[in-house]
Amino acid sequence: PPMAVTEPPRPRHACVIGYGNAGRLHANVLSDLADTVTVIDPKHQHLPRTHRTFPHEVEDLPTSVAAGVDLWSICSPTASHLAVLKAVLHHNPAARILLEKPAVQGDQIDALTTLLTEHPAARLIVNDQYAHSTTLSDFTRLIAHLEPNAPINQITVTFTKDRGKDIAQGRFVDRTYGVLGYEWLHMLTVLSRLVPTAVMDTYLTGNPSDSELWATYDPRLFVSALTERTSLQSPDHDLLSLELSSSILGPSILLGRVPGPRSPWRQDIRPTDDRHRHVAVRAGDTLFTLHLEPVTAPDGWQLDRNHHSLTAIRAGQVLHDEVVRDSPLDTSIRNAATTLLADNPLAPPNLAPLRRIAALAETLRTRAPARAAYSRDRKAATSS
């Protein structure tokens, strides 16, 4: 007889805490999964009319409402994560929780692990959208297909987003991690998809001072831009050159070629993107590039949201040019919901990337110039 198909578990009542940009995205995805979505945000002035909302703190949520929540999604500012998590666990010591990155501040990592140890029945996942990106799987398969016998010898990951307007309004301001608190964890996830696990573990637990660090210090934001250059050693003792670069005030960077008038490329379908996520890998004689959405090329050519560009070039010849569709955030939230509501054992969250950015931030803090050396009106770059 045909085998019965078991539907994955789905939440009956999801509660999204924090209704900023991340909270709205989580609420949209969870609306397709849950029967009921509740939104909590004590500060937001534009809570959705489509969901039940509470404009106050989590601890003030009525017990009758909290008792019915079977999936919590914490999307409040990073500085509040630990306090919000404690409030959720006070409502339900066995809560199922999806926590946006970064999980907590650098000096709260040990407190987070202690809190989770004290609540063994709770299940927590830190959202990590690129860990579930099918585009990155396509990218690694392309590398293996075109250069099956050549090791990767160079990786460059560049994630930038101009958050100037948001920062001027007091939004998305992270003075603890600086630029590291915005895109850097995404970049580390991308890197983990490209190198062996042992190599990644060695890098994450290494001393950040062993890397070449170029930082732009900003009195409002601690560090507004950072480039890290270092070498990773593969199991066969080949050296891999690594460069990670991110900025939260820099201009957008366009794709370095004109794709031409062909589907699915279209011209001027939205204003020029202020976010750029680009990965370049050199293996053998081939340069592989992945331009993650949103994608804008010269002359106004763009791809729709959730479309990504993969290319491979060897000796000036284009070997591969493909556009793929993938929504990493949607996939990661759905995967987290299924995993959190299941009964199988769940490993504790991997906090090694968070410890890495905390160590990087501390290294940069010890090298920061005296406050008198820079001002709000003059951006100063300090290299070390």
Side-chain angles (χ1 to χ4, degrees), residues 159-163 167 174 177-180 182 184 214-227 245-250 364 379-381:
F159 278 31
T160 67
K161 181 175 176 61
D162 188 354
R163 296 185 179 269
I167 290 169
D174 189 332
Y177 291 122
V179 69
L180 295 163
Y182 297 87
W184 209 270
W214 296 80
T216 300
Y217 288 90
D218 187 296
R220 301 164 299 169
L221 309 166
F222 173 35
V223 171
S224 61
L226 176 65
T227 295
S245 183
S246 185
S247 171
I248 50 176
L249 291 180
L364 295 171
K379 183 170 65 175

Side-chain angles (χ1 to χ4, degrees), residues 6 33 73 91 104 153 168 180 209 213 219 222 228 249 269 277 302 332 351 354-356:
T6 303
L33 298 178
S73 176
H91 281 300
V104 291
N153 52 55
L180 295 163
S209 296
L213 303 174
F222 173 35
E228 176 187 3
L249 291 180
I269 57 179
R277 293 177 172 178
Q302 295 175 315
S332 68
L351 298 178
L354 186 65
R355 294 184 186 276
R356 174 71 185 188

Side-chain angles (χ1 to χ4, degrees), residues 130 133-141 190 193-194 290 326:
Y130 288 112
S133 170
T134 58
T135 300
L136 280 165
S137 298
D138 294 337
F139 190 53
T140 55
R141 281 195 294 266
V190 170
R193 300 284 300 270
L194 297 170
L290 167 60
D326 173 28

Side-chain angles (χ1 to χ4, degrees), residues 92-370:
N92 180 4
R96 271 55 175 156
I97 306 163
L98 175 59
L99 180 63
E100 257 302 331
K101 61 87 184 169
V104 291
Q105 306 282 47
D107 59 356
Q108 297 174 329
I109 296 175
D110 290 340
L112 172 62
T113 57
T114 299
L115 182 65
L116 296 178
T117 301
E118 294 171 347
H119 294 80
R123 293 170 70 89
L124 180 139
I125 290 177
V126 179
N127 194 35
D128 192 359
Q129 65 183 64
Y130 288 112
H132 304 279
S133 170
T134 58
T135 300
L136 280 165
S137 298
D138 294 337
F139 190 53
T140 55
R141 281 195 294 266
L142 177 64
I143 297 170
H145 174 66
L146 293 180
E147 289 286 359
N149 301 314
I152 293 175
N153 52 55
Q154 183 176 352
I155 298 176
T156 302
V157 184
T158 305
F159 278 31
T160 67
K161 181 175 176 61
D162 188 354
R163 296 185 179 269
K165 293 181 180 179
D166 289 326
I167 290 169
Q169 298 173 2
R171 301 175 65 241
F172 300 109
V173 178
D174 189 332
R175 296 185 179 90
T176 300
Y177 291 122
V179 69
L180 295 163
Y182 297 87
E183 306 283 356
W184 209 270
L185 288 174
H186 287 321
M187 296 161 61
L188 293 180
T189 298
V190 170
L191 178 63
S192 71
R193 300 284 300 270
L194 297 170
V195 301
T197 300
V199 175
M200 190 67 192
D201 291 344
T202 300
Y203 166 72
L204 290 177
T205 57
N207 189 341
S209 296
D210 294 337
S211 297
E212 182 181 349
L213 303 174
W214 296 80
T216 300
Y217 288 90
D218 187 296
R220 301 164 299 169
L221 309 166
F222 173 35
V223 171
S224 61
L226 176 65
T227 295
E228 176 187 3
R229 298 189 184 101
T230 191
S231 295
L232 306 181
Q233 191 165 26
S234 64
D236 54 8
H237 305 294
D238 289 327
L239 286 180
L240 184 157
S241 175
L242 172 66
E243 178 175 304
L244 303 176
S245 183
S246 185
S247 171
I248 50 176
L249 291 180
S252 60
I253 304 173
L254 299 180
L255 189 68
R257 61 188 184 84
V258 180
R262 56 186 174 83
S263 179
W265 293 94
R266 293 185 292 160
Q267 279 187 306
D268 302 319
I269 57 179
R270 61 181 178 272
T272 301
D273 300 305
D274 60 1
R275 188 178 72 188
H276 169 82
R277 293 177 172 178
H278 179 267
V279 184
V281 172
R282 185 170 292 279
D285 298 323
T286 308
L287 176 64
F288 301 87
T289 60
L290 167 60
H291 199 82
L292 293 161
E293 76 96 12
V295 181
T296 294
D299 295 338
W301 292 100
Q302 295 175 315
L303 294 175
D304 283 326
R305 297 295 184 184
N306 296 323
H307 285 72
H308 319 265
S309 172
L310 284 71
T311 62
I313 299 176
R314 182 187 299 157
Q317 180 182 359
V318 177
L319 304 181
H320 189 92
D321 187 355
E322 180 185 10
V323 172
V324 297
R325 191 181 188 284
D326 173 28
S327 178
L329 181 64
D330 184 278
T331 303
S332 68
I333 293 175
R334 291 175 182 273
N335 179 79
T338 299
T339 304
L340 288 169
L341 295 173
D343 295 325
N344 56 304
L346 178 64
N350 177 17
L351 298 178
L354 186 65
R355 294 184 186 276
R356 174 71 185 188
I357 70 167
L360 263 172
E362 186 59 29
T363 298
L364 295 171
R365 207 174 300 279
T366 61
R367 300 180 183 183

